[in-house]
């Protein structure tokens, strides 16, 4: 084979080799293109899966948040409903009414606005928190008749209860009654008494101790649970009314002022009880003294039971011979609301004998003239910008032996 033929043969061989490579390249491109298609499809699938997981995560989060909200509501509801009936933990009124609740809807507006059961299981902290809730919406979603809450701070029973029964008779719906006794005392009255079921959960109280002021706050907080209570009167087992219910109710409800005795006493019995550790929140010039037996409005009652900052100062720095019940509310109102206070009490007492306690009256002291003297106070006082001799609506201290003569004179002298 000559050189020309050999050269021609080699050229044909190279062309064939090139031709045989092209299909491989084409197949490779097809295969690679197919891979691109598969890869794009795979990415789309992964994106869809990711999107579904993302949406699922959002839904799971919403459900979790909802569950947490329900849990918080349940916790709040547990505290809320305990204010209104006994053994509330067994009463699930959201889904059903059981034997504990009977046929009462525990979340009805009537039961929320006017709780009937006082024997709740709230701690003092829970009670004060619940009582401090203040609606911001003006008006009420129910017919509201403003009531006067009569709060009795007693050691035990009420020896003058028949007199008070006579006083309240025929005026249901215009008053509420709350009784704080010593811890463990069972306040027993007949089921037809207006005092039946009106004992609140009570704790031990010591005279002159801060526990006395704690009991006052406890009474206020329980009374605040009833949204119709507009005014709050603190009384003892030795107190009596000296006017009929209509006069007392009108006098209190129609006054824009609170009746808390608050005055500056420069002696050792006043400023002498001030502790300089109360500075700078309370300075001696703001320090006030007054009778324990007060009458206050709803708005001020909410403020007093909500205050921890100033009250803690009295708890720490007002031990005997400083008495928180004589200084705390008087000083607090003097600092924050002096214009809303009349600076006088509605409860008459006789301090003429001197000593740490006022005079106690017995049966032979009770005469028509004696009661009339209390009713028509000769020194007069200010009421709604006018001078009046009707300055005291209540009086103390009256022994159990005064009950019979008081009942005898109540109709003729006191008007009930």
């Amino acid at each position: 084979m000559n050189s020309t033929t050999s050269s021609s043969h080699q050229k044909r061989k190279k062309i064939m080799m090139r031709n045989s490579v092209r299909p491989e390249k084409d197949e490779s491109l097809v295969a690679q293109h197919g891979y691109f298609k598969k890869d794009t499809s795979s990415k789309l699938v992964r994106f869809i899966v990711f999107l579904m997981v993302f949406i699922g995560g959002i839904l799971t989060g919403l459900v979790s948040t909802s569950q947490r909200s329900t849990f918080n509501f349940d916790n709040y509801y547990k505290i809320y409903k305990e204010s209104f009936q006994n053994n509330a933990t067994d009463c699930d009124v959201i889904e059903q009414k059981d034997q504990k609740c009977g046929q009462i809807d525990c979340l009805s507006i009537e039961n929320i606005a006017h709780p009937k059961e006082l024997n709740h299981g709230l701690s003092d902290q829970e009670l004060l928190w619940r009582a401090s809730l203040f609606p911001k919406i003006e008006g009420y979603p129910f017919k509201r008749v403003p009531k006067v809450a009569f709060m009795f701070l007693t050691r035990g029973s009420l020896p003058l209860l028949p007199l008070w029964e006579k006083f309240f008779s025929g005026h249901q719906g215009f008053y509420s009654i709350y009784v704080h006794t010593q811890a463990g005392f069972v306040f027993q009255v007949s089921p037809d008494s207006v005092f039946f079921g009106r004992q609140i959960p009570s704790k031990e109280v010591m005279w002159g101790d801060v526990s006395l002021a704690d009991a006052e706050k406890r009474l206020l907080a329980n009374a605040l649970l009833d949204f119709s209570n507009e005014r709050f009167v603190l009384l003892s087992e030795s107190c009596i009314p000296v006017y009929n219910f209509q006069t007392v109710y009108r006098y209190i409800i129609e006054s824009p002022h609170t009746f808390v005795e608050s005055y500056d006493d420069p002696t050792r019995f006043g400023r002498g009880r001030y502790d300089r550790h109360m500075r700078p929140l309370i300075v001696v010039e703001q320090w006030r003294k007054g009778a324990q037996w007060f009458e206050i409005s709803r708005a001020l009652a909410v403020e007093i039971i909500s205050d921890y900052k100033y009250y803690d100062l009295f708890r720490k720095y007002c031990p005997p011979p400083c008495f928180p019940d004589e200084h705390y509310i008087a000083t607090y109102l003097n600092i924050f609301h002096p214009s809303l206070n009349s600076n006088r009490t509605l409860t008459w007492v006789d301090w003429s004998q001197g000593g740490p306690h006022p005079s106690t009256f017995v049966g032979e002291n009770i005469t028509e003239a004696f009661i009339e003297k209390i009713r028509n106070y000769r020194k007069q006082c200010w009421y709604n910008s006018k001078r009046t001799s009707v300055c005291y609506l209540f009086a103390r201290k009256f022994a159990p032996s005064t009950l019979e003569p008081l009942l005898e004179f109540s109709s003729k002298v006191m008007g009930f």
Side-chain angles (χ1 to χ4, degrees):
M1 187 181 293
N2 59 28
S3 60
T4 303
T5 303
S6 177
S7 175
S8 176
H9 178 73
Q10 289 177 353
K11 286 181 180 179
R12 285 198 300 270
K13 187 176 181 179
K14 287 181 180 181
I15 290 171
M16 290 177 66
M17 289 178 66
R18 283 198 299 270
N19 289 339
S20 66
V21 170
R22 282 195 187 111
E24 291 177 1
K25 286 186 177 180
D26 290 342
E27 289 174 4
S28 176
L29 286 173
V30 170
Q32 200 172 21
H33 183 65
Y35 171 77
F36 287 151
K37 285 184 178 180
K38 291 177 183 177
D39 186 53
T40 303
S41 177
S42 177
K43 286 183 178 180
L44 181 60
V45 169
R46 285 202 303 271
F47 174 75
I48 293 172
V49 171
F50 172 78
L51 186 61
M52 291 176 67
V53 171
F54 178 73
I55 293 173
I58 293 176
L59 292 175
T60 302
L62 290 174
V63 171
S64 176
T65 303
S66 174
Q67 289 175 342
R68 286 197 297 271
S69 298
T70 303
F71 176 75
N72 289 337
F73 174 79
D74 287 343
N75 280 348
Y76 170 77
Y77 172 71
K78 179 182 176 182
I79 294 174
Y80 190 82
K81 68 184 179 182
E82 283 181 349
S83 302
F84 304 122
Q85 81 269 335
N86 190 24
N87 297 325
T89 54
D90 297 327
C91 180
D92 186 2
V93 295
I94 293 179
E95 297 181 357
Q96 63 182 5
K97 303 168 188 173
D98 64 12
Q99 293 180 354
K100 295 290 184 182
C101 280
Q103 298 303 313
I104 299 174
D105 181 356
C106 301
L107 284 182
S108 68
I109 191 65
E110 174 62 24
N111 199 51
I112 292 173
H114 314 295
K116 302 296 188 299
E117 178 60 66
L118 300 186
N119 191 24
H120 55 71
L122 299 179
S123 67
D124 280 356
Q125 183 180 12
E126 292 170 335
L127 173 65
L128 293 174
W129 175 85
R130 169 63 186 87
S132 70
L133 301 182
F134 195 91
K136 290 188 176 182
I137 296 178
E138 293 185 6
Y140 297 86
F142 56 91
K143 183 179 180 181
R144 182 180 187 264
V145 176
K147 296 190 294 187
V148 176
F150 292 83
M151 307 179 301
F152 292 85
L153 181 56
T154 80
R155 295 180 180 87
S157 61
L158 292 174
L160 303 175
L161 185 143
L163 183 70
W164 284 103
E165 293 267 13
K166 197 174 180 182
F167 169 79
F168 288 122
S169 180
H171 303 289
Q172 189 70 28
F174 293 91
Y175 66 87
S176 298
I177 297 172
Y178 302 87
V179 180
H180 186 295
T181 67
Q182 288 288 25
F185 180 84
V186 179
F187 185 74
Q188 293 183 332
V189 293
S190 63
D192 59 344
S193 170
V194 294
F195 286 85
F196 183 75
R198 305 312 297 175
Q199 181 182 12
I200 69 169
S202 307
K203 293 187 177 181
E204 198 68 24
V205 175
M206 295 179 62
W207 181 81
D209 186 68
V210 71
S211 60
L212 198 56
D214 288 340
E216 294 175 4
K217 279 200 170 191
R218 203 172 293 120
L219 277 164
L220 280 174
N222 277 278
L224 281 167
L225 296 181
D226 189 329
F227 282 92
S228 288
N229 287 333
E230 185 62 29
R231 306 295 290 247
F232 305 79
V233 182
L234 182 66
L235 302 160
S236 77
E237 72 269 26
S238 67
C239 285
I240 66 165
V242 294
Y243 285 93
N244 60 33
F245 183 88
Q246 296 96 317
T247 302
V248 170
Y249 178 85
R250 214 166 38 242
Y251 193 101
I252 291 174
I253 291 293
E254 293 180 1
S255 174
H257 296 98
T258 279
F259 296 93
V260 176
E261 189 175 45
S262 178
Y263 62 93
D264 181 16
D265 181 357
T267 72
R268 65 187 179 93
F269 300 109
R271 289 197 179 196
R273 297 173 177 176
Y274 171 79
D275 190 317
R276 62 185 179 179
H277 288 98
M278 293 185 171
R279 295 181 300 183
L281 291 178
I282 302 174
V283 297
V284 68
E285 291 78 15
Q286 297 170 319
W287 185 256
R288 291 294 183 270
K289 181 181 178 180
Q292 174 188 4
W293 314 105
F294 61 76
E295 188 285 326
I296 60 175
S297 66
R298 184 176 185 89
L300 293 182
V302 171
E303 285 204 31
I304 288 170
I305 64 105
S306 303
D307 169 51
Y308 284 94
K309 188 175 183 180
Y310 289 82
Y311 190 59
D312 279 347
L313 295 178
F314 285 85
R315 188 179 296 279
K316 293 177 182 177
Y317 305 119
C318 189
C322 176
F323 306 113
D325 58 287
E326 293 183 1
H327 295 281
Y328 169 61
I329 295 180
T331 300
Y332 185 86
L333 292 184
N334 177 60
I335 295 174
F336 295 105
H337 303 286
S339 63
L340 299 180
N341 189 26
S342 64
N343 295 323
R344 65 183 179 91
T345 179
L346 294 178
T347 304
W348 178 88
V349 291
D350 180 11
W351 290 100
S352 62
Q353 302 301 316
H357 301 286
S359 300
T360 298
F361 302 102
V362 294
E364 52 263 32
N365 298 129
I366 307 304
T367 63
E368 290 185 31
F370 174 69
I371 300 297
E372 285 291 0
K373 182 180 178 180
I374 300 172
R375 286 164 54 90
N376 298 288
Y377 191 57
R378 60 182 179 84
K379 292 184 179 180
Q380 296 196 333
C381 58
W382 289 97
Y383 175 77
N384 289 359
S385 302
K386 296 179 181 179
R387 299 289 291 178
T388 179
S389 62
V390 182
C391 300
Y392 297 108
L393 305 180
F394 314 99
R396 66 186 301 267
K397 300 173 59 175
F398 291 79
S401 61
T402 62
L403 177 59
E404 188 175 341
L406 285 170
L407 287 172
E408 181 182 347
F409 296 136
S410 67
S411 179
K412 181 179 180 181
V413 181
M414 295 179 277
F416 63 89

